[in-house]
Amino acid sequence: MALTIAHYIKNMGKLANQYFDGPQIYKEKTRQRTYLKDIDCPPVWHDKLQEHIPPGLFYLNDSTGEIGGPGAVNEPILGATGKRKGRGIARAGDLMSSLPPDMRAENMMCYIGHEGTYTPAHREMCASLGHNIMVETSGNTVDEDGKPERPGSSIWFMTESKDRHMVAEYWLSILGHDIEVENHFAQVIAWKKAPFKTYVVEQRAGDFILIPPLAPHQ
């Protein structure tokens, strides 16, 4: 049976409420978890987000310095005579913008979930800087039964880039999973006993999360 996003969102409260009967509920594999993961970002969202996210962090940006900035050199003017100052020295933007379109990875995606859904521990490929902005949560309306929604948020467990080798070793030798394979969601006790520092962040609507390059997180 086809499931529309509208039907899913309308019934999200019911999906979430089933997880508030005790911690043992989370271990039940038969509990329904409907997580819309890696959904294509609608063009209208892309355009609206571009108004809020810093240019140097936006998908496919080519911000490699200001015109005439420090280190800029004279460059030929396309279709005209003479030269003018090009871009100055700066941190590279999104290197994906330097690839042909058919070689670019689509990494601007949407995630819609409820209580009980999650993303297993992993780290971003190619030492890229990960980021996530929460645009909407529950808590502002009432459900179809007239009851107020539970406030929504996400809990992040993050590590530092310098600890990535220690995290990988701990994941493999103690937890029995490869951090490069996104298939294990570590329990809180596993994070508490870890030999590296863990940062716990609660993300609410409007919060923009930055994940350090190669830093495992869930």
Side-chain angles (χ1 to χ4, degrees), residues 157 170-171 186-198 200:
F157 293 81
Y170 177 73
W171 233 251
Q187 297 182 13
V188 174
I189 188 64
W191 290 100
K192 286 184 176 180
K193 292 184 176 181
F196 46 81
K197 183 180 291 186
T198 299
V200 182

Side-chain angles (χ1 to χ4, degrees), residues 8-43:
Y8 168 61
I9 292 177
K10 181 179 179 181
N11 291 278
M12 192 178 290
K14 294 179 180 178
L15 290 168
N17 286 334
Q18 65 178 329
Y19 286 93
F20 288 96
D21 295 331
Q24 74 282 356
I25 298 297
Y26 285 87
K27 298 180 181 180
E28 296 180 5
K29 296 183 179 180
T30 57
R31 287 281 170 176
Q32 186 176 17
R33 286 183 169 93
T34 308
Y35 186 21
L36 303 190
K37 189 174 185 291
D38 297 339
I39 303 299
D40 291 342
C41 180

Side-chain angles (χ1 to χ4, degrees), residues 53-69:
I53 296 178
L57 296 174
F58 201 72
Y59 181 51
L60 295 183
N61 78 82
D62 61 352
S63 56
T64 53
E66 300 295 329
I67 299 295

Side-chain angles (χ1 to χ4, degrees), residues 1 3 6 42 46 49 66 68-69 85 91 97 100 102 106 115 119-120 124 128 147 149 155 167 180-181 206 216:
M1 181 182 71
L3 175 65
H46 175 282
L49 287 173
E66 300 295 329
K85 290 291 185 181
R91 288 182 178 273
S97 63
D102 59 347
E106 180 59 58
E115 183 74 20
T119 296
E124 308 302 340
S128 58
K147 298 179 180 179
E149 292 180 336
I155 304 296
V167 177
E180 305 295 345
V181 181

Side-chain angles (χ1 to χ4, degrees), residues 90-115:
R91 288 182 178 273
D94 187 352
L95 297 182
M96 199 75 70
S97 63
S98 300
L99 294 174
D102 59 347
M103 293 182 65
R104 296 171 182 170
E106 180 59 58
N107 64 7
M108 189 168 188
M109 297 168 289
C110 300
Y111 302 81
I112 309 174
H114 56 80
E115 183 74 20

Side-chain angles (χ1 to χ4, degrees), residues 107-188:
N107 64 7
M108 189 168 188
M109 297 168 289
C110 300
Y111 302 81
I112 309 174
H114 56 80
E115 183 74 20
T117 58
Y118 54 85
T119 296
H122 65 289
R123 62 182 183 180
E124 308 302 340
M125 299 175 65
C126 305
S128 58
L129 176 69
H131 47 72
N132 179 289
I133 184 170
M134 182 170 281
V135 299
E136 180 67 25
T137 62
S138 59
N140 299 321
T141 59
V142 297
D143 60 23
E144 57 186 17
D145 297 324
K147 298 179 180 179
E149 292 180 336
R150 297 178 186 271
S153 64
S154 285
I155 304 296
W156 291 73
F157 293 81
M158 294 195 282
T159 61
E160 296 185 41
S161 296
K162 67 179 179 63
D163 292 333
R164 60 186 181 277
H165 298 300
M166 191 186 306
V167 177
E169 176 62 25
Y170 177 73
W171 233 251
L172 194 60
S173 61
I174 304 300
L175 303 185
H177 295 273
D178 187 348
I179 196 66
E180 305 295 345
V181 181
E182 189 179 324
N183 65 358
H184 179 67
F185 184 83
Q187 297 182 13
V188 174

Side-chain angles (χ1 to χ4, degrees), residues 61-83:
N61 78 82
D62 61 352
S63 56
T64 53
E66 300 295 329
I67 299 295
V73 298
N74 291 321
E75 299 177 350
I77 301 175
L78 187 64
T81 57
K83 294 185 177 182

